[in-house]
């Protein structure tokens, strides 16, 4: 396995793309190439986290992210505890901080946290010794999703700089969109946000992106078409008339896809509302990389653990 020594990575936690430099991002993405080799070979384990304990602490539902972090930690030889919030003392009123301190007392080295409140992982990171990895906080950030998306784009198209990324859908409620906007801009891509004005307000232009309100405009010249899930659970008021109307105006089908260049790839973080954001026939196309994104999530999360472990070792050796 070829890895790049994480000598320059200085972060104890991975809380968001916002706090990472271009060099930090490239270090994780370059190391993920070596870890993808590991997860596709016969013997899929390396000893990077031998003797370390990883706690998965998910206060919101997850299929891909939780299983992907678990597999990544096990492939690195860590012990993994899946903390089941539904049956834990959190339901008896135990404070979040008490819960995590309990977990730390059990010897956790890493806490992977998903929470419905923006900033919850940042709060934890200030209070505990373990390294905290943000697996999604409210509508704020989902940094490892953005990293695995960038890895998938690099693998499919090569260099990200100069590419045009069209992000389509519910930008307003999407932590995935926010992390992807920050990451792709840091790596030199241009980003266009596509959707109805209620979900893509013009104020997003402050993030140095374009906003357009028709799918056709968004697809023209796009190298990457990134479809977001309509998050009905986060919408407190009706921001578009119906799912059917959304599908007609912003759902990607074979007819709409003709407006995009032939080389464009299609991505979605999952879970997909089939037949709404994307038609069944487009789901089946070879340039639709949704399952590749899930596969790449394991390698990218292994790389995240690897660079954080490197930063801890650096700190323990007396460097600040
Ligand atoms: N992409 C993503 O975060 O999926 P899950 O909600 O299944 O983890």
């Amino acid at each position: 396995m070829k890895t790049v020594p994480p000598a320059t990575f200085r972060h104890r936690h991975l809380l968001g793309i916002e706090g990472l430099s271009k060099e930090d991002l490239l270090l994780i993405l370059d190391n993920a190439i070596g870890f993808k080799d590991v997860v596709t070979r016969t013997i899929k384990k390396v000893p990077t986290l031998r003797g370390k304990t990883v706690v998965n602490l998910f206060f919101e539902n997850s299929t891909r992210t939780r299983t992907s972090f678990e597999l990544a930690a096990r492939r690195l030889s860590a012990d993994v505890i899946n903390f089941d919030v539904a049956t834990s003392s959190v339901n008896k009123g135990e404070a979040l901080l008490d819960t995590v301190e309990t977990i730390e007392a059990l010897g956790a080295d890493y806490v992977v946290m998903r929470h419905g409140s923006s900033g919850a992982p940042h709060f934890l990171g200030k209070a505990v010794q373990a390294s905290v990895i943000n697996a999604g906080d409210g509508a704020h950030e989902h940094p490892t999703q953005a990293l695995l998306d960038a890895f998938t784009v690099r693998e499919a198209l090569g260099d990200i700089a100069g590419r045009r990324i069209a992000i389509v859908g519910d930008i307003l409620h999407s932590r995935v969109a926010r992390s992807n906007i920050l990451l792709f801009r840091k790596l030199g891509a241009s980003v266009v946000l596509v959707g109805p004005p209620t979900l893509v307000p013009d104020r997003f232009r402050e993030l140095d992106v374009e906003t357009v309100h028709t799918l056709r405009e968004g697809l023209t010249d796009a190298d990457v078409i990134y479809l977001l899930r309509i998050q009905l659970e986060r919408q407190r008021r009706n921001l578009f008339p119906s799912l059917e109307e959304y599908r007609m105006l912003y759902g990607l089908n074979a007819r709409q896809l003709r407006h995009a260049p032939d080389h464009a790839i299609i991505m979605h973080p999952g879970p997909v509302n089939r037949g709404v954001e994307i038609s069944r026939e487009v789901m089946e196309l070879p340039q639709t990389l949704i399952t590749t994104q899930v596969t790449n999530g394991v390698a990218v999360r292994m790389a995240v653990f690897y660079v954080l472990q490197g930063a801890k070792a650096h700190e323990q050796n007396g460097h600040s």
Side-chain angles (χ1 to χ4, degrees), residues 58 61-66 114 135 142 145 175-176 269-271:
F58 279 63
N61 292 341
S62 169
T63 303
R64 290 149 204 80
T65 311
R66 197 189 63 73
R114 173 171 288 188
H142 191 349
Q145 178 69 46
R175 55 196 177 203
V176 172

Side-chain angles (χ1 to χ4, degrees), residues 50-287:
R50 186 182 288 152
K52 306 290 178 195
T53 302
V54 175
V55 174
N56 273 328
L57 183 62
F58 279 63
F59 290 83
E60 283 189 333
N61 292 341
S62 169
T63 303
R64 290 149 204 80
T65 311
R66 197 189 63 73
T67 51
S68 175
F69 267 112
E70 178 169 356
L71 202 52
R74 290 193 193 283
R75 296 278 189 249
L76 295 170
S77 306
D79 298 314
V80 180
I81 299 170
N82 288 310
F83 189 77
D84 188 348
V85 172
T87 58
S88 79
S89 294
V90 171
N91 281 344
K92 295 184 224 151
E94 190 174 324
L96 173 61
L97 195 52
D98 289 344
T99 302
V100 175
E101 281 175 353
T102 305
I103 291 168
E104 260 209 317
L106 295 173
D109 299 285
Y110 293 91
V111 178
V112 179
M113 184 192 203
R114 173 171 288 188
H115 200 282
S117 298
S118 300
H122 305 67
F123 170 78
L124 271 185
K126 289 197 179 96
V128 298
Q129 288 299 309
S131 290
V132 178
I133 302 175
N134 182 0
D137 63 325
H140 181 225
E141 280 229 40
H142 191 349
T144 59
Q145 178 69 46
L147 283 160
L148 76 88
D149 292 334
F151 182 86
T152 305
V153 172
R154 270 182 129 195
E155 201 176 49
L157 300 177
D159 202 356
I160 286 174
R163 296 288 178 187
R164 183 168 172 84
I165 319 288
I167 305 180
V168 184
D170 185 357
I171 313 288
L172 191 64
H173 298 94
S174 176
R175 55 196 177 203
V176 172
R178 188 174 152 73
S179 288
N180 267 316
I181 291 167
L182 293 170
L183 183 148
F184 282 116
R185 290 297 297 123
K186 284 186 187 204
L187 295 187
S190 62
V191 174
V192 56
L193 307 179
V194 187
T198 45
L199 298 180
V200 184
D202 287 342
R203 66 181 156 82
F204 276 103
R205 290 186 191 153
E206 288 166 17
L207 297 173
D208 198 18
V209 297
E210 284 175 58
T211 56
V212 298
H213 303 303
T214 68
L215 189 55
R216 183 176 185 156
E217 284 173 282
L219 297 187
T220 308
D221 298 332
D223 298 295
V224 177
I225 306 164
Y226 195 99
L227 306 168
L228 293 170
R229 185 171 73 89
I230 288 294
Q231 300 189 57
L232 294 170
E233 72 277 17
R234 289 199 205 279
Q235 292 192 17
R236 289 179 183 83
R237 57 202 160 97
N238 289 336
L239 295 170
F240 52 89
S242 68
L243 278 184
E244 178 56 18
E245 186 154 328
Y246 182 86
R247 182 187 67 76
M248 283 171 59
L249 292 175
Y250 298 103
L252 186 66
N253 56 33
R255 186 174 44 82
Q256 290 280 21
L257 190 55
R258 284 196 216 111
H259 299 303
D262 289 343
H263 69 265
I265 58 171
I266 299 155
M267 300 170 69
H268 189 302
V272 175
N273 293 309
R274 282 170 189 260
V276 179
E277 298 107 22
I278 181 169
S279 72
R280 285 164 215 280
E281 61 181 329
V282 174
M283 279 285 284
E284 304 305 324
L285 294 174
Q287 65 266 44

